[in-house]
Amino acid sequence: DTAVSQTPKYLVTQMGNDKSIKCEQNLGHDTMYWYKQDSKKFLKIMFSYNNKELIINETVPNRFSPKSPDKAHLNLHINSLELGDSAVYFCASSPSGGGGTEAFFGQGTRLTVV
Amino acid sequence: GIQVEQSPPDLILQEGANSTLRCNFSDSVNNLQWFHQNPWGQLINLFYIPSGTKQNGRLSATTVATERYSLLYISSSQTTDSGVYFCAVGIYNQGGKLIFGQGTELSVKP
């Protein structure tokens, strides 16, 4: 059973389009995250949700809007896609948002904007 | 904010060799994890090790929290060990976010 799963795995789209990436975790964790990995493989936090409540928004453009319908799901919607949005997006979860607990990552979604 | 530095940035090994990867961090942490990103892009948890020593097969890790560093040891390396190794740290009351180092890219040659 996959602990943290994201769909789709690959996403190729044109500039200006709107797209969504879905994430689900079956670990019973309270906290979920979105991270972005750039072309140099650097990983950086975008958002953190604890039990459906937004905890962290790391100065991400307003075109990115996370939505958490319940604590097992955290989706990422991106409006008006730009070339610079091309990256690998990782969803993750951890038991709590206080830190000090192990985080687990999904397999990543490679977004290519053309 | 906290800085996380990994060394070396790149490493090429012959199969069977041993190696040590280092992670330095600039502040007290309550979470430290080592990940392996394989050539298919998956981030695989290796160790959750905010302090102390752990071993898992050919891999082991040690974190000396008071001196703000962690080491990942790979013994008898195999070609399947190739990929990027990331260290990531977390700080209490920061929403559980992890701050990643820039990674060590390991290539194991047969």
Side-chain angles (χ1 to χ4, degrees), chain B residues 34-61:
Chain B
W34 283 98
F35 296 90
H36 174 215
Q37 187 166 37
N38 63 22
W40 294 271
Q42 290 177 296
L43 276 172
I44 298 164
N45 287 38
L46 296 178
F47 295 101
Y48 168 71
I49 187 166
S51 64
T53 297
K54 291 186 177 180
Q55 180 153 9
N56 185 2
R58 296 180 297 104
L59 302 181
S60 63

Side-chain angles (χ1 to χ4, degrees), chain A residues 8-14 19-21 36-37 64 76 78 81-89 108-114:
Chain A
K9 189 170 169 61
Y10 301 97
L11 189 51
V12 181
T13 188
Q14 291 188 324
K19 289 293 178 186
S20 292
I21 307 171
K36 178 180 180 180
Q37 186 172 41
F64 291 78
L76 183 65
I78 315 170
L81 277 154
E82 301 177 356
L83 292 176
D85 298 331
S86 296
V88 181
Y89 293 85
T109 295
R110 182 174 293 276
L111 172 65
T112 303
V113 182
V114 298

